[in-house]
């Protein structure tokens, strides 16, 4: 098949729109569509559909042009499934109308369950459902990571690895065994309209964990889990997060940074128009106390946040040390620079609503228009160590002296 040049298709589409005869992009372009059921997928929730889905993906991936792989309504019981490129397709859409349901036998899994890797121009989209069910309840009791550093991690539900130009939207992810979604080493990712949930007491069920990516947009989503809502790990640049509701869970986190040798810098993070309800933190930047290498975390803006019953809405913690008896002898090797919290309001459930604990003095921490009220008696407090923060506009709690 001849791959049809996309600019032409777009031009044709635009012309039709001018003549009030708008047709969908799918009709204007020559899209090849495959149905997973034609590759032997049963979708009955019982038979193992792993091989059928991977075979359907291979066919779609190997087809030149614009390709859609439809997973029609039904429940597809699958084990680890790797949807890898590079593909012949110029653009490939994974259209999930059904439910992907994870196998529960942990012996079958490596680090993740569904993996999209080495694909350019991938769209993963849900339609009339589009649910990814990790069936985590069966494996949560085997997760020792909250108490042991050398634990075996359970599989992440969906891993995006080494992709270019990815769109993910209208997907629901429930009850992951470990993280719901992880982004590792991708360029240019847009995610929107996601629903992510797991019980408040489920271990390490982070909503979206991102590491070593450039250009990620996450917007208009609801995430309630047992751990971080969105966590921004090492090596990320140009991350934009907007209009995400977090709660329950641990809130939004940058870090933990400085745990491993050779971690990358984290720069240009913009998080805006968020709501947090009943979370442990609002925004937390955490770096390990005894980090083995030096790195930089800089140019971050957290603005327009509403906190409802959040334990600690604003935290910088450079003495993060969850597993050992820390001697507090080493300062974190992660330099924090140019970090602004602006227009943050709402209620806290602990008196210390702003905690700024820097290892060496932080550079350029700015708080502007902060209005946080303690739910209990008395007012909220700030606690600072080496923060050297600048305060602009109104401040509740009162700034550290
Ligand atoms: C669309 O693709 C099919 C399959 O490759 C091909 O046979 C057909 O000629 C194409 N049609 C157009 C209008 O490009
Ligand atoms: C990705 O899409 C762009 C524009 O739509 C196209 O120019 C490019 O060739 C595609 N890349 C690959 C590897 O398919
Ligand atoms: C604290 O910040 C001010 C202005 O931002 C700067 O001039 C000063 O050097 C900083 N102090 C330390 C100890 O970093």
């Amino acid at each position: 098949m001849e791959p049809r040049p996309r600019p032409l298709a777009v031009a044709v589409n635009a012309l039709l729109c001018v003549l009030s005869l708008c047709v969908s992009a799918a009709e204007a372009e020559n899209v090849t569509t495959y149905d997973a059921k034609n590759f032997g997928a049963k979708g009955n929730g019982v038979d193992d559909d792993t091989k059928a889905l991977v075979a359907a993906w291979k066919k779609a991936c190997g087809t030149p042009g614009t390709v859609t792989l439809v997973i029609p309504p039904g429940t597809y019981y699958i084990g680890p499934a790797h949807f890898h490129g590079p593909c012949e397709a110029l653009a490939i859409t994974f259209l999930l109308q059904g439910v992907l349901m994870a196998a529960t036998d942990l012996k079958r899994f490596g680090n993740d369950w569904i993996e999209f890797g080495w694909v350019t121009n991938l769209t993963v989209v849900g339609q009339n459902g589009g649910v990814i069910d990790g069936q985590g309840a069966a494996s949560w009791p085997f997760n020792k990571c909250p108490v042991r550093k050398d634990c075996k991690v359970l599989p992440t539900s969906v891993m995006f690895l080494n992709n270019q130009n990815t769109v993910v939207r209208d997907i629901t992810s429930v009850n992951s065994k470990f993280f719901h979604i992880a982004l590792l080493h991708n360029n240019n990712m847009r995610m929107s309209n996601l629903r992510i949930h797991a019980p408040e007491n489920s271990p390490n069920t982070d909503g979206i964990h991102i590491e070593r990516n450039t250009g990620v947009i996450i917007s208009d989503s609801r995430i309630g889990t047992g751990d971080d809502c969105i966590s921004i790990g090492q090596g990320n640049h140009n991350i934009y997060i907007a209009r995400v509701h977090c709660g329950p869970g641990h809130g939004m986190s940058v870090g933990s940074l400085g745990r491993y040798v050779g971690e990358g810098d984290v720069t240009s993070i913009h998080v805006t128009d968020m709501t947090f309800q009943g979370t442990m933190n609002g925004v937390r930047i955490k770096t390990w106390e005894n980090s083995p290498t030096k790195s930089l975390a800089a140019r971050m803006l957290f603005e327009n946040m509403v906190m409802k019953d959040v334990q600690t809405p604003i935290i910088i913690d450079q003495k993060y040390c969850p597993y050992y008896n820390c001697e507090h002898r080493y300062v974190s090797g992660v330099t924090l620079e140019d970090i602004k919290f602006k227009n943050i309001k709402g209620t806290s459930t602990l008196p210390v609503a702003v905690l700024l604990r820097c290892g060496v003095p932080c550079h350029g921490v700015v708080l502007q228009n902060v209005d946080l009220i303690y739910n209990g008696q008395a007012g909220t407090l700030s606690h600072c160590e080496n923060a050297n923060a600048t305060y602009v506009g109104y401040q509740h709690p009162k700034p550290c002296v």
Side-chain angles (χ1 to χ4, degrees):
M1 160 188 351
E2 281 303 305
R4 181 156 172 171
R6 290 177 60 83
L8 177 62
V10 170
V12 168
N13 214 2
L15 179 64
L16 291 179
C17 280
V18 168
L19 300 173
S20 312
L21 286 166
C22 285
V23 291
S24 74
E27 284 166 313
E29 293 180 42
N30 193 357
V31 179
T32 308
T33 300
Y34 295 109
D35 182 328
K37 289 214 164 151
N38 293 338
F39 293 81
K42 298 282 194 301
N44 59 15
V46 179
D47 290 313
D48 191 317
D49 285 326
T50 316
K51 278 189 181 141
L53 290 197
V54 171
W57 168 266
K58 284 195 171 142
K59 182 68 183 172
C61 175
T63 303
T66 303
V67 184
T68 296
L69 171 57
V70 181
I71 321 294
T75 297
Y76 300 81
Y77 177 80
I78 57 172
H82 291 179
F83 303 117
H84 285 179
C87 294
E88 288 294 314
L90 277 185
I92 184 162
T93 298
F94 187 97
L95 178 59
L96 181 60
Q97 297 172 332
V99 177
L100 301 181
M101 193 171 83
T104 50
D105 178 5
L106 284 176
K107 287 196 291 294
R108 292 181 65 179
F109 292 88
N111 280 346
D112 52 48
W113 171 33
I114 297 166
E115 187 176 288
F116 292 98
W118 296 272
V119 185
T120 301
N121 301 337
L122 168 69
T123 299
V124 177
V125 57
Q127 199 178 50
N128 313 322
V131 176
I132 294 174
D133 181 353
Q135 297 222 84
S139 14
W140 295 328
F142 301 104
N143 182 353
K144 303 294 176 224
C145 294
V147 287
R148 293 185 47 163
K149 192 185 183 191
D150 60 347
C151 61
K152 176 173 171 16
V153 302
L154 300 184
T156 288
S157 274
V158 191
M159 167 78 88
F160 290 91
L161 183 61
N162 287 311
N163 302 291
Q164 312 279 328
N165 310 340
T166 310
V167 173
V168 182
R169 58 187 164 81
D170 306 320
I171 292 283
T172 297
S173 175
V174 300
N175 298 334
S176 54
K177 294 172 167 48
F178 203 67
F179 298 167
H180 282 85
I181 299 176
L183 314 182
L184 185 61
H185 211 275
N186 300 278
N187 261 311
N188 187 19
M189 266 232 47
R190 288 159 183 251
M191 312 179 85
S192 60
N193 275 311
L194 307 181
R195 298 280 176 275
I196 298 179
H197 52 91
E200 188 167 7
N201 59 359
S202 56
N204 301 114
T205 51
D206 297 48
I208 305 175
H209 176 71
I210 64 188
E211 203 161 304
R212 282 190 278 137
N213 299 273
T214 300
V216 176
I217 299 175
I218 302 171
S219 71
D220 304 289
S221 295
R222 292 185 74 87
I223 302 176
T225 71
D227 209 301
D228 291 337
C229 177
I230 299 175
S231 53
I232 301 177
Q234 56 107 357
N236 287 301
H237 306 283
N238 293 326
I239 311 297
Y240 179 76
I241 299 170
R243 299 178 301 280
V244 176
H245 175 89
C246 296
H250 294 186
M252 160 95 219
S253 131
V254 177
S256 50
L257 304 174
R259 178 170 179 175
Y260 301 105
V261 175
E263 291 192 3
D265 295 343
V266 177
T267 61
S268 298
I269 310 292
H270 185 184
V271 184
T272 186
D273 298 291
M274 306 279 287
T275 51
F276 296 84
Q277 180 147 27
T279 50
M280 181 186 287
N281 308 299
V283 176
R284 172 168 69 166
I285 301 171
K286 56 180 172 178
T287 75
W288 283 69
E289 179 166 84
N290 44 358
S291 36
T293 4
K294 292 201 180 309
S295 67
L296 175 71
R299 296 195 296 286
M300 304 189 195
L301 171 60
F302 303 95
E303 63 174 348
N304 306 336
M305 314 240 168
V306 176
M307 310 280 172
K308 292 177 190 158
D309 303 329
V310 172
Q311 279 183 25
T312 314
I314 298 177
I315 302 193
I316 292 178
D317 184 4
Q318 292 213 272
K319 293 190 173 169
Y320 184 63
C321 189
Y323 298 104
Y324 312 106
N325 278 334
C326 288
E327 300 161 31
H328 296 308
R329 268 198 298 151
Y330 308 97
V331 292
S332 180
V334 183
T335 299
L336 298 185
E337 204 172 279
D338 188 5
I339 294 168
K340 187 166 186 176
F341 301 93
K342 182 181 171 188
N343 300 340
I344 317 284
K345 66 179 182 188
T347 54
S348 74
T349 58
L350 291 178
V352 176
V354 177
L355 173 60
L356 306 175
R357 184 186 282 148
C358 297
V360 291
C362 286
H363 302 287
V365 172
V366 176
L367 279 84
Q368 178 174 359
N369 297 346
V370 173
D371 189 9
L372 296 165
I373 295 163
Y374 175 44
N375 274 345
Q377 305 292 313
T380 42
L381 303 169
S382 298
H383 176 85
C384 306
E385 294 170 29
N386 287 324
N388 199 23
T390 303
Y391 296 90
V392 181
Y394 50 80
Q395 301 292 332
H396 303 282
K398 285 201 178 69
C400 299
V401 282

